Amino acid sequence: QVQLQETGPGLVKPSQTLSLTCLVSGGSITTNNYYWTWIRQPPGKGLEWIGYIGYSGSTSYNPIHRSRTSISRDTSKNQFTLQLSSVTPEDTAVYYCVRAGSRATPAPGFGSWGQGTQVTVSS
């Protein structure tokens, strides 16, 4: 049974880079037909898809954030990371990592979700 856990700083200053790592256990990030996804939810708002890295290493990003976004993986550690540069207070959100069974945005109840981690962008 796969488990995911987000880890990283909870406070980031404006203009800096947000960096989060998803620790995966119980399943390999190279397993065929899975997409390792980052999603966030700003306070009082809905879920927003950020992007994924696929089982083969391919990546896809939300065009809204693409210029600032990088998702990578370390197969030896079975983990994948999110880097979001030049952050502003609008990037404040709960960030989730998710194992999704398709390229589509996973909804609650679909896929395997981490518990989420709060990231606040503030000076």
Side-chain angles (χ1 to χ4, degrees), residues 49-102:
W49 180 78
I50 299 172
Y52 68 73
I53 185 163
Y55 57 92
S56 66
S58 62
T59 56
S60 184
Y61 304 114
N62 188 330
I64 297 173
H65 313 296
R66 192 185 191 284
S67 65
R68 301 191 293 130
T69 308
S70 178
I71 299 175
S72 59
R73 66 179 183 175
D74 186 338
T75 57
S76 68
K77 296 181 179 180
N78 205 41
Q79 61 189 33
F80 63 106
T81 62
L82 168 69
Q83 292 187 304
L84 184 66
S85 65
S86 302
V87 298
T88 73
E90 291 186 347
D91 294 310
T92 294
V94 176
Y95 285 75
Y96 299 92
C97 56
V98 186
R99 187 188 72 173
S102 75

